[in-house]
Short mmCIF file of all heavy atoms in Angstrom, two decimals:
data_model
loop_
_atom_site.label_atom_id
_atom_site.label_comp_id
_atom_site.label_asym_id
_atom_site.label_seq_id
_atom_site.Cartn_x
_atom_site.Cartn_y
_atom_site.Cartn_z
N TYR A 34 -4.63 17.26 6.83
CA TYR A 34 -5.67 17.38 7.85
C TYR A 34 -5.47 18.62 8.74
O TYR A 34 -4.45 18.73 9.42
CB TYR A 34 -5.67 16.11 8.69
CG TYR A 34 -6.70 16.05 9.78
CD1 TYR A 34 -8.06 16.04 9.46
CD2 TYR A 34 -6.33 15.98 11.11
CE1 TYR A 34 -9.02 15.97 10.46
CE2 TYR A 34 -7.28 15.90 12.11
CZ TYR A 34 -8.62 15.90 11.78
OH TYR A 34 -9.56 15.83 12.78
N LYS A 35 -6.42 19.55 8.68
CA LYS A 35 -6.43 20.78 9.49
C LYS A 35 -5.18 21.65 9.31
O LYS A 35 -4.78 22.37 10.22
CB LYS A 35 -6.60 20.44 10.98
CG LYS A 35 -7.96 19.87 11.32
CD LYS A 35 -8.13 19.75 12.81
CE LYS A 35 -9.54 19.29 13.15
NZ LYS A 35 -9.76 19.14 14.58
N LEU A 36 -4.53 21.57 8.15
CA LEU A 36 -3.31 22.35 7.92
C LEU A 36 -3.34 23.04 6.57
O LEU A 36 -3.80 22.48 5.59
CB LEU A 36 -2.09 21.44 7.92
CG LEU A 36 -1.38 21.12 9.23
CD1 LEU A 36 -0.15 20.30 8.96
CD2 LEU A 36 -0.99 22.38 9.99
N VAL A 37 -2.78 24.23 6.54
CA VAL A 37 -2.53 24.92 5.27
C VAL A 37 -1.15 24.43 4.82
O VAL A 37 -0.27 24.20 5.65
CB VAL A 37 -2.48 26.46 5.49
CG1 VAL A 37 -2.13 27.19 4.21
CG2 VAL A 37 -3.80 26.94 6.05
N SER A 38 -0.96 24.24 3.52
CA SER A 38 0.33 23.79 3.01
C SER A 38 1.44 24.73 3.49
O SER A 38 1.39 25.93 3.27
CB SER A 38 0.27 23.76 1.48
OG SER A 38 1.49 23.28 0.98
N THR A 39 2.44 24.16 4.18
CA THR A 39 3.49 24.96 4.81
C THR A 39 4.88 24.42 4.44
O THR A 39 5.16 23.24 4.66
CB THR A 39 3.35 24.89 6.36
OG1 THR A 39 2.01 25.21 6.71
CG2 THR A 39 4.31 25.84 7.05
N PRO A 40 5.75 25.30 3.89
CA PRO A 40 7.13 24.87 3.62
C PRO A 40 7.89 24.76 4.95
O PRO A 40 7.80 25.65 5.79
CB PRO A 40 7.71 25.97 2.75
CG PRO A 40 6.68 27.03 2.62
CD PRO A 40 5.50 26.66 3.44
N ILE A 41 8.62 23.66 5.13
CA ILE A 41 9.37 23.42 6.35
C ILE A 41 10.76 22.87 6.01
O ILE A 41 11.02 22.54 4.85
CB ILE A 41 8.64 22.40 7.28
CG1 ILE A 41 8.40 21.08 6.53
CG2 ILE A 41 7.35 22.96 7.83
CD1 ILE A 41 7.87 19.94 7.39
N SER A 42 11.60 22.78 7.02
CA SER A 42 12.88 22.08 6.85
C SER A 42 13.03 21.11 8.02
O SER A 42 12.49 21.35 9.11
CB SER A 42 14.05 23.05 6.79
OG SER A 42 14.24 23.67 8.05
N ILE A 43 13.74 20.03 7.78
CA ILE A 43 13.89 18.97 8.77
C ILE A 43 15.33 18.48 8.75
O ILE A 43 15.95 18.45 7.68
CB ILE A 43 12.89 17.83 8.48
CG1 ILE A 43 13.03 16.72 9.51
CG2 ILE A 43 13.07 17.26 7.09
CD1 ILE A 43 11.93 15.68 9.40
N SER A 44 15.86 18.12 9.88
CA SER A 44 17.23 17.61 9.96
C SER A 44 17.31 16.28 9.21
O SER A 44 16.54 15.36 9.47
CB SER A 44 17.61 17.41 11.44
OG SER A 44 18.64 16.45 11.55
N ALA A 45 18.26 16.19 8.29
CA ALA A 45 18.44 14.97 7.49
C ALA A 45 18.77 13.79 8.40
O ALA A 45 18.27 12.68 8.22
CB ALA A 45 19.54 15.17 6.45
N LYS A 46 19.60 14.04 9.42
CA LYS A 46 20.01 12.98 10.34
C LYS A 46 18.81 12.46 11.13
O LYS A 46 18.62 11.27 11.30
CB LYS A 46 21.07 13.56 11.30
CG LYS A 46 22.09 12.53 11.77
CD LYS A 46 23.09 13.15 12.70
CE LYS A 46 24.26 13.75 11.91
NZ LYS A 46 25.30 14.31 12.78
N GLU A 47 17.99 13.40 11.63
CA GLU A 47 16.82 13.03 12.43
C GLU A 47 15.79 12.27 11.58
O GLU A 47 15.22 11.27 12.02
CB GLU A 47 16.17 14.30 13.00
CG GLU A 47 15.33 14.03 14.23
CD GLU A 47 14.79 15.30 14.87
OE1 GLU A 47 15.42 16.37 14.76
OE2 GLU A 47 13.70 15.20 15.45
N PHE A 48 15.60 12.71 10.34
CA PHE A 48 14.65 12.04 9.44
C PHE A 48 15.11 10.60 9.17
O PHE A 48 14.32 9.66 9.23
CB PHE A 48 14.51 12.81 8.13
CG PHE A 48 13.60 12.14 7.14
CD1 PHE A 48 12.23 12.04 7.36
CD2 PHE A 48 14.11 11.57 5.97
CE1 PHE A 48 11.39 11.39 6.46
CE2 PHE A 48 13.29 10.94 5.06
CZ PHE A 48 11.92 10.85 5.31
N LYS A 49 16.40 10.43 8.92
CA LYS A 49 16.96 9.10 8.65
C LYS A 49 16.73 8.17 9.85
O LYS A 49 16.35 7.01 9.71
CB LYS A 49 18.45 9.22 8.34
CG LYS A 49 19.05 7.97 7.73
CD LYS A 49 20.49 8.22 7.32
CE LYS A 49 21.07 6.97 6.70
NZ LYS A 49 22.45 7.13 6.29
N LYS A 50 16.94 8.71 11.07
CA LYS A 50 16.73 7.94 12.30
C LYS A 50 15.28 7.48 12.42
O LYS A 50 15.00 6.34 12.75
CB LYS A 50 17.10 8.79 13.52
CG LYS A 50 18.29 8.25 14.29
CD LYS A 50 18.45 8.98 15.61
CE LYS A 50 19.36 10.19 15.44
NZ LYS A 50 19.52 10.97 16.66
N PHE A 51 14.35 8.40 12.13
CA PHE A 51 12.92 8.08 12.22
C PHE A 51 12.53 7.01 11.21
O PHE A 51 11.77 6.10 11.52
CB PHE A 51 12.07 9.34 11.98
CG PHE A 51 11.61 9.99 13.26
CD1 PHE A 51 12.49 10.72 14.03
CD2 PHE A 51 10.30 9.86 13.69
CE1 PHE A 51 12.09 11.31 15.21
CE2 PHE A 51 9.89 10.44 14.87
CZ PHE A 51 10.78 11.17 15.63
N ILE A 52 13.07 7.09 9.99
CA ILE A 52 12.76 6.09 8.95
C ILE A 52 13.30 4.73 9.37
O ILE A 52 12.61 3.71 9.23
CB ILE A 52 13.35 6.52 7.58
CG1 ILE A 52 12.58 7.71 7.02
CG2 ILE A 52 13.36 5.37 6.59
CD1 ILE A 52 11.19 7.42 6.50
N GLN A 53 14.52 4.69 9.92
CA GLN A 53 15.10 3.42 10.37
C GLN A 53 14.27 2.81 11.49
O GLN A 53 14.09 1.59 11.56
CB GLN A 53 16.55 3.62 10.82
CG GLN A 53 17.49 3.81 9.65
CD GLN A 53 18.88 4.28 10.08
OE1 GLN A 53 19.09 4.74 11.19
NE2 GLN A 53 19.84 4.18 9.17
N LYS A 54 13.75 3.66 12.38
CA LYS A 54 13.00 3.16 13.54
C LYS A 54 11.56 2.79 13.18
O LYS A 54 11.05 1.75 13.59
CB LYS A 54 13.00 4.24 14.63
CG LYS A 54 12.35 3.79 15.92
CD LYS A 54 12.37 4.90 16.94
CE LYS A 54 11.57 4.50 18.16
NZ LYS A 54 11.34 5.62 19.06
N ASN A 55 10.89 3.64 12.39
CA ASN A 55 9.45 3.45 12.12
C ASN A 55 9.13 2.90 10.75
O ASN A 55 7.98 2.57 10.47
CB ASN A 55 8.71 4.80 12.28
CG ASN A 55 8.91 5.39 13.65
OD1 ASN A 55 8.74 4.71 14.65
ND2 ASN A 55 9.32 6.65 13.71
N GLY A 56 10.13 2.87 9.84
CA GLY A 56 9.86 2.40 8.48
C GLY A 56 9.29 3.51 7.61
O GLY A 56 8.84 4.54 8.10
N ARG A 57 9.32 3.28 6.31
CA ARG A 57 8.88 4.28 5.32
C ARG A 57 7.39 4.61 5.45
O ARG A 57 6.95 5.71 5.19
CB ARG A 57 9.21 3.72 3.92
CG ARG A 57 8.63 4.46 2.74
CD ARG A 57 9.33 5.78 2.50
NE ARG A 57 9.01 6.34 1.21
CZ ARG A 57 7.86 6.92 0.91
NH1 ARG A 57 6.89 7.00 1.76
NH2 ARG A 57 7.67 7.44 -0.30
N ASN A 58 6.59 3.63 5.89
CA ASN A 58 5.14 3.86 6.02
C ASN A 58 4.70 4.21 7.44
O ASN A 58 3.52 4.21 7.73
CB ASN A 58 4.36 2.63 5.54
CG ASN A 58 4.31 2.54 4.04
OD1 ASN A 58 4.45 3.55 3.35
ND2 ASN A 58 4.12 1.36 3.51
N GLY A 59 5.66 4.48 8.31
CA GLY A 59 5.32 4.78 9.70
C GLY A 59 4.59 6.10 9.86
O GLY A 59 4.64 6.98 8.99
N VAL A 60 3.91 6.25 11.00
CA VAL A 60 3.25 7.52 11.35
C VAL A 60 4.24 8.29 12.23
O VAL A 60 4.77 7.75 13.19
CB VAL A 60 1.93 7.27 12.12
CG1 VAL A 60 1.32 8.59 12.56
CG2 VAL A 60 0.95 6.51 11.24
N PHE A 61 4.50 9.54 11.85
CA PHE A 61 5.45 10.36 12.56
C PHE A 61 4.74 11.46 13.34
O PHE A 61 4.03 12.26 12.74
CB PHE A 61 6.42 11.05 11.58
CG PHE A 61 7.22 10.10 10.73
CD1 PHE A 61 6.73 9.66 9.51
CD2 PHE A 61 8.45 9.65 11.16
CE1 PHE A 61 7.46 8.79 8.73
CE2 PHE A 61 9.20 8.78 10.37
CZ PHE A 61 8.70 8.34 9.16
N PRO A 62 4.94 11.54 14.67
CA PRO A 62 4.44 12.72 15.39
C PRO A 62 5.39 13.88 15.09
O PRO A 62 6.60 13.71 15.13
CB PRO A 62 4.51 12.30 16.86
CG PRO A 62 5.45 11.16 16.92
CD PRO A 62 5.57 10.58 15.55
N MET A 63 4.83 15.03 14.74
CA MET A 63 5.66 16.16 14.34
C MET A 63 5.20 17.41 15.06
O MET A 63 4.00 17.59 15.28
CB MET A 63 5.52 16.35 12.82
CG MET A 63 6.41 17.42 12.24
SD MET A 63 6.15 17.57 10.44
CE MET A 63 7.14 16.24 9.83
N GLU A 64 6.15 18.25 15.44
CA GLU A 64 5.80 19.50 16.10
C GLU A 64 6.13 20.66 15.20
O GLU A 64 7.25 20.80 14.72
CB GLU A 64 6.54 19.62 17.44
CG GLU A 64 5.94 20.70 18.30
CD GLU A 64 6.22 20.48 19.77
OE1 GLU A 64 5.82 19.43 20.31
OE2 GLU A 64 6.86 21.37 20.35
N LEU A 65 5.12 21.49 14.94
CA LEU A 65 5.27 22.66 14.07
C LEU A 65 4.65 23.85 14.78
O LEU A 65 3.45 23.86 15.05
CB LEU A 65 4.56 22.39 12.73
CG LEU A 65 4.55 23.53 11.73
CD1 LEU A 65 5.95 23.81 11.21
CD2 LEU A 65 3.63 23.18 10.55
N ASP A 66 5.47 24.84 15.13
CA ASP A 66 4.99 26.02 15.85
C ASP A 66 4.20 25.68 17.11
O ASP A 66 3.13 26.23 17.38
CB ASP A 66 4.12 26.90 14.94
CG ASP A 66 4.94 27.62 13.87
OD1 ASP A 66 6.17 27.65 14.00
OD2 ASP A 66 4.33 28.14 12.93
N GLY A 67 4.70 24.72 17.88
CA GLY A 67 4.04 24.35 19.13
C GLY A 67 2.83 23.45 18.97
O GLY A 67 2.23 23.03 19.95
N THR A 68 2.44 23.15 17.72
CA THR A 68 1.30 22.27 17.49
C THR A 68 1.81 20.90 17.08
O THR A 68 2.67 20.78 16.22
CB THR A 68 0.41 22.84 16.35
OG1 THR A 68 0.06 24.17 16.67
CG2 THR A 68 -0.84 22.01 16.18
N ARG A 69 1.23 19.88 17.71
CA ARG A 69 1.63 18.51 17.40
C ARG A 69 0.66 17.92 16.38
O ARG A 69 -0.55 18.00 16.56
CB ARG A 69 1.62 17.68 18.66
CG ARG A 69 2.42 16.43 18.56
CD ARG A 69 2.39 15.71 19.89
NE ARG A 69 3.60 14.94 20.01
CZ ARG A 69 3.95 14.30 21.09
NH1 ARG A 69 3.21 14.34 22.15
NH2 ARG A 69 5.05 13.61 21.12
N VAL A 70 1.21 17.35 15.31
CA VAL A 70 0.39 16.70 14.29
C VAL A 70 0.99 15.34 13.97
O VAL A 70 2.18 15.11 14.17
CB VAL A 70 0.30 17.54 12.98
CG1 VAL A 70 -0.49 18.80 13.18
CG2 VAL A 70 1.67 17.86 12.42
N ASN A 71 0.13 14.43 13.50
CA ASN A 71 0.60 13.13 13.04
C ASN A 71 0.70 13.17 11.53
O ASN A 71 -0.23 13.61 10.86
CB ASN A 71 -0.37 12.03 13.48
CG ASN A 71 -0.32 11.80 14.97
OD1 ASN A 71 0.74 11.60 15.54
ND2 ASN A 71 -1.47 11.85 15.62
N VAL A 72 1.84 12.72 11.01
CA VAL A 72 2.06 12.78 9.57
C VAL A 72 2.56 11.44 9.05
O VAL A 72 3.11 10.63 9.80
CB VAL A 72 3.07 13.89 9.17
CG1 VAL A 72 2.60 15.26 9.62
CG2 VAL A 72 4.46 13.59 9.72
N VAL A 73 2.36 11.23 7.74
CA VAL A 73 3.01 10.13 7.03
C VAL A 73 3.79 10.74 5.88
O VAL A 73 3.50 11.86 5.45
CB VAL A 73 1.98 9.09 6.48
CG1 VAL A 73 1.35 8.31 7.60
CG2 VAL A 73 0.94 9.73 5.59
N VAL A 74 4.79 10.02 5.41
CA VAL A 74 5.57 10.49 4.27
C VAL A 74 4.74 10.23 3.02
O VAL A 74 4.35 9.11 2.74
CB VAL A 74 6.92 9.75 4.17
CG1 VAL A 74 7.66 10.15 2.90
CG2 VAL A 74 7.78 10.03 5.39
N SER A 75 4.42 11.30 2.30
CA SER A 75 3.62 11.17 1.09
C SER A 75 4.51 10.94 -0.13
O SER A 75 4.22 10.12 -0.98
CB SER A 75 2.79 12.44 0.90
OG SER A 75 2.12 12.42 -0.32
N GLU A 76 5.62 11.68 -0.20
CA GLU A 76 6.54 11.54 -1.34
C GLU A 76 7.94 11.94 -0.94
O GLU A 76 8.13 12.88 -0.16
CB GLU A 76 6.06 12.44 -2.49
CG GLU A 76 6.85 12.24 -3.76
CD GLU A 76 6.42 13.16 -4.91
OE1 GLU A 76 5.36 13.80 -4.81
OE2 GLU A 76 7.17 13.24 -5.89
N VAL A 77 8.92 11.21 -1.46
CA VAL A 77 10.33 11.54 -1.22
C VAL A 77 11.01 11.68 -2.57
O VAL A 77 10.92 10.80 -3.41
CB VAL A 77 11.04 10.42 -0.41
CG1 VAL A 77 12.53 10.73 -0.28
CG2 VAL A 77 10.42 10.26 0.96
N GLN A 78 11.66 12.83 -2.79
CA GLN A 78 12.44 13.03 -4.01
C GLN A 78 13.90 12.83 -3.65
O GLN A 78 14.41 13.47 -2.74
CB GLN A 78 12.23 14.44 -4.56
CG GLN A 78 10.81 14.68 -5.03
CD GLN A 78 10.57 16.16 -5.37
OE1 GLN A 78 11.50 16.93 -5.51
NE2 GLN A 78 9.31 16.52 -5.47
N GLN A 79 14.56 11.92 -4.38
CA GLN A 79 15.95 11.62 -4.09
C GLN A 79 16.85 11.98 -5.25
O GLN A 79 16.43 11.93 -6.40
CB GLN A 79 16.12 10.14 -3.77
CG GLN A 79 15.70 9.82 -2.35
CD GLN A 79 16.03 8.39 -1.97
OE1 GLN A 79 15.40 7.49 -2.48
NE2 GLN A 79 16.98 8.21 -1.08
N CYS A 80 18.09 12.34 -4.92
CA CYS A 80 19.11 12.58 -5.95
C CYS A 80 19.70 11.21 -6.27
O CYS A 80 20.30 10.57 -5.41
CB CYS A 80 20.18 13.52 -5.42
SG CYS A 80 21.56 13.70 -6.55
N SER A 81 19.52 10.76 -7.50
CA SER A 81 19.98 9.41 -7.87
C SER A 81 21.50 9.29 -7.85
O SER A 81 22.04 8.23 -7.59
CB SER A 81 19.45 9.05 -9.26
OG SER A 81 19.78 10.07 -10.17
N LEU A 82 22.21 10.37 -8.08
CA LEU A 82 23.67 10.32 -8.11
C LEU A 82 24.29 10.21 -6.72
O LEU A 82 25.21 9.44 -6.50
CB LEU A 82 24.25 11.56 -8.81
CG LEU A 82 23.85 11.75 -10.28
CD1 LEU A 82 24.37 13.08 -10.80
CD2 LEU A 82 24.41 10.61 -11.13
N LYS A 83 23.76 10.97 -5.76
CA LYS A 83 24.38 11.01 -4.43
C LYS A 83 23.63 10.17 -3.40
O LYS A 83 24.06 10.09 -2.26
CB LYS A 83 24.42 12.46 -3.93
CG LYS A 83 25.28 13.38 -4.76
CD LYS A 83 25.24 14.77 -4.17
CE LYS A 83 25.96 15.78 -5.04
NZ LYS A 83 25.73 17.14 -4.58
#
Side-chain angles (χ1 to χ4, degrees):
Y34 182 64
K35 292 188 175 180
L36 272 185
V37 176
S38 182
T39 309
I41 57 172
S42 68
I43 181 171
S44 156
K46 211 180 273 183
E47 202 175 331
F48 177 69
K49 194 174 181 181
K50 245 190 269 178
F51 262 75
I52 289 288
Q53 286 169 344
K54 185 181 173 191
N55 303 311
R57 169 73 166 75
N58 283 337
V60 176
F61 301 89
M63 185 180 279
E64 195 156 300
L65 177 67
D66 288 346
T68 306
R69 199 178 208 173
V70 291
N71 290 308
V72 301
V73 290
V74 174
S75 173
E76 187 182 347
V77 175
Q78 295 171 15
Q79 281 187 290
C80 173
S81 53
L82 298 174
K83 296 180 187 171

